[in-house]
């Protein structure tokens, strides 16, 4: 688009994101002063250096990347299904991840294996949708959506089964995982490499996303191979979701609310919407996680509870505001 | 001036479950021609348009487009190449997400732009001209969901103009339009197909339409679909008669002559 506000918008969002990051480094069980924080960031010795650099920074970065990935995956699913209320979990990716992660917990595997199990479960779910909804004849996202939704329901039943069978002492861990929890979250190197690649691939096709949002026939008439584009979006959205879920469990609402809020506040043009959603999703999850570990300190809440409790009223407010302005 | 073929079908067959709509369809459309596509509801007009556009696969036969000097099967060409040669105006347009009128019309430039390319001033000028042609100037920043039925129809038409494809496939373009705008879009089509004397005419249109009088006034050729596999194609003057129309629609249609030509009325 030929206007100047994209740069200003993105600059504002980058600033918000950096401020959120600083806040996450500063507050917690020990409040680090701004001058101490500055010393630590500029690489000088400080008594809180280890706390900030070894504990708070990795956790905040995990929140940043997880939030960004969920928000982007939400944008993509909304275009794919042409429904502004679709979320990254609608096709069962998180269900598959949850079933595998909980099974690993049930089998008593060490915590280090849980992310790998979750990622494997997400991949199984992605491949199942792929295999079930492939067919000849005209491409239709409806068949894919139905396969995904039914699969998600199936995972839901299996998860309930595990929760019913699981020993009491592992239930708490399972519930935290299901609600989404960042307390032990770390970003694996593979995700640091994969994320920028996926982002670049998506930015290359972002105008195609605008076209697909107009409907499959329109997109085809305007020069898109909608079958390829549909699978491309599904795979990228699922990979982003799988990475996010394996890092932090199934954190709700970020992938639904952030893209929708950005559509209301900024634009439906995906060239702007995708980076804006990534930045806003990252900032939102950093702030939510900071709240989760401070609001009831020394108790730590699962961040998924905070995203839901803050996200719902925020979303309703934005919707209300949008109706007044239009 | 020898006219160029913009699309050719060979032995094309269209079927829907339980019914043959069109059988062994051999037809071509050349630059400078304006075809009216006539038939009863469900006779396969939209199905044919979508099939010609390569969006619905053809069950039998071939659809060929000119590409690099030869006619080539539509299935072998990339969608992007097809979109630069042929535009489709659908019968209905829905907007699941908010967008401005200008953003929507800019979508027509999509097949002309590379992955990293932003719309240039030239693209915005094309959009401005098309919106102006369709009396939509001043509505550029309006949300598409707030447009009236007729305005949305004219926006879809403008988006098709912006695509600048030589072959235009239109599915009931005059739906929702008031009389003045119906004439306006038909005039615009004629203007594209038969530009002023010195310019070469390189466009053509195939228009699914139910208004026989618009068809009789603005089209040069007629393609009738009987919905049972049969079709009839040829110059309008040779084919359009009350007898033929009555058979096509299975309803008596009378022809009236007046000083500006003929018009058709249901009996």
């Amino acid at each position: 688009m030929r206007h100047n506000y994209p740069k200003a918008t993105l600059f504002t969002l980058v600033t918000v994101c950096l401020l959120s990051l600083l806040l996450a480094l500063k507050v917690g069980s020990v409040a680090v002063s701004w001058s101490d924080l500055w010393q630590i960031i500029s690489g000088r010795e400080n008594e809180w250096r280890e706390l900030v650099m070894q504990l708070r920074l990795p956790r905040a970065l995990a929140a940043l990347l997880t939030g960004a990935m969920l928000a982007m995956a939400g944008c993509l699913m909304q275009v794919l299904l042409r429904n502004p209320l679709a979320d990254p979990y609608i096709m069962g990716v998180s269900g598959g991840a949850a079933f595998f992660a909980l099974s690993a917990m049930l089998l008593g595997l060490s915590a280090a294996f849980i992310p790998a199990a979750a990622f494997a479960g997400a991949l199984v779910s992605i491949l199942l949708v792929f295999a079930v909804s492939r067919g000849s004849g005209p491409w239709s996202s409806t068949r894919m959506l139905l396969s995904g939704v039914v699969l998600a329901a199936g995972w839901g039943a299996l998860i309930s089964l595990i929760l019913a069978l699981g020993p009491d002492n592992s239930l708490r861990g399972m519930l935290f995982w299901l609600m989404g929890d960042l307390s032990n979250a770390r970003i694996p190197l593979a995700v640091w490499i994969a994320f920028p690649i996926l982002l670049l691939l998506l930015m290359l096709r972002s105008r195609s996303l605008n076209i697909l949002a107009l409907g499959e026939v329109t997109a085809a008439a305007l020069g898109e191979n909608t079958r390829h584009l549909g699978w491309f979006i599904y795979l990228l959205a699922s990979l982003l979701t799988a990475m996010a879920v394996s890092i932090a469990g199934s954190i709700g609402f970020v992938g639904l609310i952030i893209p929708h809020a950005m559509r209301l506040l900024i634009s439906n043009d995906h060239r702007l919407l995708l980076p804006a959603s990534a930045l806003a999703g990252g900032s939102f999850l950093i702030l939510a996680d900071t709240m989760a570990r401070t609001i009831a300190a020394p108790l730590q809440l699962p961040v998924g509870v905070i995203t839901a409790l803050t996200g719902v009223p925020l979303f309703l407010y934005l919707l209300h505001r949008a109706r007044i302005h239009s | 001036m020898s006219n160029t073929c913009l699309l050719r079908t060979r032995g094309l067959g269209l079927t829907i479950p339980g019914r043959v709509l069109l059988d062994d369809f051999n037809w071509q459309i050349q630059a400078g021609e304006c075809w009216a596509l006539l038939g009863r509801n469900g006779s396969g007009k939209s199905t044919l348009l979508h099939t010609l556009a390569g969006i619905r696969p053809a069950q039998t036969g071939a659809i060929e487009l000119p590409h690099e000097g030869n006619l080539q099967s539509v299935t072998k060409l990339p969608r992007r190449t097809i979109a630069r040669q042929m535009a489709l105006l659908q019968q209905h347009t829905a907007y699941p997400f908010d967008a401005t009128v200008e953003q929507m019309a800019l979508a027509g430039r999509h097949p002309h732009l590379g992955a990293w390319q932003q719309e240039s001033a030239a693209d915005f000028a094309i959009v401005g001209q098309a919106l102006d042609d369709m009396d939509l100037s001043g509505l550029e920043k309006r949300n598409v969901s707030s447009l009236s039925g007729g305005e949305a129809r004219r926006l879809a038409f403008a988006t098709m103009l912006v695509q600048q494809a030589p072959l235009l496939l239109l599915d009931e373009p005059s739906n929702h339009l008031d009389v003045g705008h119906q004439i306006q879009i038909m005039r615009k089509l004629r203007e594209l197909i038969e530009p002023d004397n010195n310019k070469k005419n390189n466009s053509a249109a195939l228009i699914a339409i139910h208004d026989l009088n618009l068809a009789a006034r603005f089209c040069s050729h007629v393609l009738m679909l009987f919905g049972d596999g049969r079709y009839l194609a040829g110059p309008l003057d040779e084919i359009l008669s009350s007898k033929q129309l009555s058979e096509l629609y299975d309803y008596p249609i009378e022809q009236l002559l007046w000083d500006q030509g003929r018009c058709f009325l249901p009996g």
Side-chain angles (χ1 to χ4, degrees):
Chain A
M1 299 293 117
R2 194 179 50 169
H3 32 56
N4 288 322
Y5 77 83
K7 276 178 196 147
T9 308
L10 290 181
F11 180 77
T12 311
L13 284 169
V14 168
T15 312
V16 169
C17 198
L18 289 175
L19 289 177
S20 314
L21 209 52
L22 281 180
L23 191 73
L25 297 183
K26 181 171 157 45
V27 304
S29 52
V30 178
V32 180
S33 71
W34 287 115
S35 59
D36 281 341
L37 196 58
W38 175 243
Q39 279 198 336
I40 295 165
I41 291 171
S42 53
R44 278 170 280 172
E45 271 315 307
N46 188 287
E47 56 178 320
W48 305 117
R49 186 177 170 78
E50 196 159 321
L51 171 83
V52 169
M53 299 306 278
Q54 303 296 322
L55 290 173
R56 288 185 188 168
L57 183 64
R59 182 168 174 168
L61 288 176
L64 171 67
L65 216 53
T66 307
M69 292 192 289
L70 286 176
M72 285 166 61
C75 282
L76 295 176
M77 280 298 174
Q78 289 164 7
V79 173
L80 186 63
L81 305 173
R82 274 169 300 291
N83 183 338
L85 290 176
D87 81 4
Y89 303 145
I90 198 162
M91 306 283 277
V93 173
S94 69
F99 175 67
F100 275 57
L102 265 54
S103 301
M105 291 181 201
L106 193 66
L107 295 172
L109 293 185
S110 109
F113 286 107
I114 305 298
F119 192 76
L123 283 184
V124 166
S125 197
I126 295 167
L127 292 177
L128 271 176
V129 171
F130 202 80
V132 172
S133 60
R134 236 174 56 150
S136 54
W139 155 258
S140 144
S141 60
T142 316
R143 184 161 48 188
M144 192 162 83
L145 171 66
L146 286 174
S147 321
V149 169
V150 168
L151 197 66
W155 291 126
L158 288 172
I159 292 164
S160 305
L161 187 71
I162 290 191
L163 288 176
L165 294 177
D168 285 351
N169 58 2
S170 59
L171 272 185
R172 192 181 156 79
M174 289 180 179
L175 283 178
F176 262 63
W177 195 96
L178 284 177
M179 282 184 282
D181 181 27
L182 282 160
S183 35
N184 298 308
R186 295 291 179 271
I187 302 277
L189 180 66
V191 174
W192 281 121
I193 297 168
F195 179 75
I197 295 174
L198 294 184
L199 183 63
L200 185 74
L201 283 174
L202 280 173
M203 289 312 291
L204 269 169
R205 302 307 300 275
S206 54
R207 207 181 60 242
S208 298
L209 294 176
N210 292 346
I211 300 299
L212 189 66
L214 301 173
E216 275 168 36
V217 175
T218 308
L222 287 170
E224 283 299 332
N225 183 328
T226 47
R227 182 190 289 260
H228 290 172
L229 185 61
W231 283 121
F232 170 82
I233 295 174
Y234 170 67
L235 282 178
L236 260 65
S238 300
L239 279 175
L240 287 169
T241 311
M243 294 194 293
V245 168
S246 56
I247 291 166
S250 38
I251 297 172
F253 291 91
V254 180
L256 168 67
I257 287 170
I258 295 297
H260 206 96
M262 293 298 109
R263 285 181 200 280
L264 288 175
L265 290 174
I266 296 172
S267 168
N268 264 321
D269 184 344
H270 291 82
R271 290 173 283 188
L272 184 56
L273 180 65
L274 275 175
S277 295
L279 287 166
S283 313
F284 178 63
L285 202 55
I286 292 175
L287 293 175
D289 185 52
T290 308
M291 264 174 90
R293 60 188 173 79
T294 52
I295 203 166
L299 218 63
Q300 300 225 351
L301 302 176
V303 67
V305 174
I306 305 288
T307 55
L309 286 180
T310 53
V312 170
L314 184 73
F315 184 71
L316 290 176
Y317 166 74
L318 283 174
L319 210 58
H320 179 67
R321 209 188 78 128
R323 197 163 342 132
I324 289 173
H325 284 273
S326 66
Chain B
M1 178 164 44
S2 71
N3 277 335
T4 43
C5 171
L6 294 180
L7 184 145
R8 183 171 75 178
T9 65
R10 285 193 296 136
L12 184 70
L14 293 185
T15 54
I16 54 172
R19 200 148 68 93
V20 175
L21 291 172
L22 193 54
D23 190 33
D24 194 23
F25 178 55
N26 296 291
W27 175 77
Q28 64 169 318
I29 184 166
Q30 297 185 330
E33 295 176 348
C34 182
W35 285 75
L37 175 58
L38 305 179
R40 295 165 68 178
N41 295 148
S43 59
K45 299 186 296 296
S46 299
T47 309
L48 176 62
L49 290 177
H50 284 210
T51 309
L52 294 180
I55 289 165
R56 191 181 186 280
Q59 276 101 351
T60 54
I63 298 161
E64 296 167 336
L65 294 179
H67 183 62
E68 290 167 352
N70 306 308
L71 285 173
Q72 294 196 9
S73 168
V74 74
T75 53
K76 297 213 172 70
L77 296 174
R79 284 242 48 104
R80 199 172 134 84
T81 307
I82 298 170
R84 277 183 258 170
Q85 292 190 32
M86 158 159 78
L88 171 71
L89 176 70
Q90 292 175 79
Q91 199 175 123
H92 305 286
T93 37
Y95 307 109
F97 297 99
D98 288 343
T100 65
V101 166
E102 188 176 53
Q103 278 176 327
M104 183 57 226
L106 270 174
R109 298 310 296 161
H110 184 66
H112 299 279
L113 295 171
W116 284 121
Q117 223 175 334
Q118 295 280 319
E119 291 90 349
S120 66
D123 295 315
F124 276 87
I126 292 167
V127 165
Q129 181 62 50
L131 291 178
D132 194 39
D133 284 348
M134 287 300 109
D135 292 339
L136 291 168
S137 315
L139 300 184
E140 286 87 353
K141 302 298 169 199
R142 270 270 290 279
N143 192 328
V144 285
S145 59
S146 73
L147 296 178
S148 76
E151 286 166 342
R153 201 68 191 139
R154 281 182 279 139
L155 173 58
F157 192 89
T159 307
M160 185 197 68
L161 294 179
V162 165
Q163 202 173 334
Q164 293 188 326
L167 178 58
L168 306 174
L169 307 174
L170 301 97
D171 203 346
E172 303 188 21
S174 57
N175 275 4
H176 305 295
L177 295 183
D178 58 55
V179 176
H181 282 119
Q182 290 183 13
I183 302 292
Q184 187 183 350
I185 60 154
M186 295 305 282
R187 282 219 171 104
K188 183 70 201 174
L189 285 174
R190 283 311 296 244
E191 187 187 309
L192 287 171
I193 293 166
E194 288 182 349
D196 302 334
N197 333 348
N198 359 359
K199 278 194 240 158
K200 189 173 180 290
N201 51 354
N202 51 13
S203 294
L206 174 62
I207 311 167
I209 194 164
H210 284 299
D211 188 324
L212 297 173
N213 298 312
L214 278 182
R217 184 165 161 191
F218 289 101
C219 293
S220 61
H221 291 72
V222 175
L223 172 58
M224 293 183 177
L225 300 186
F226 291 88
D228 55 2
R230 291 180 301 136
Y231 68 95
L232 191 61
L236 182 124
D237 293 335
E238 291 172 21
I239 288 186
L240 208 66
S241 65
S242 57
K243 180 172 167 292
Q244 200 57 258
L245 287 170
S246 303
E247 191 199 333
L248 178 70
Y249 290 108
D250 195 20
Y251 192 89
I253 288 172
E254 302 292 336
Q255 174 177 306
L256 291 179
L257 289 170
W258 62 309
D259 55 359
Q260 293 196 32
R262 357 177 235 174
C263 68
F264 296 93
L265 291 175

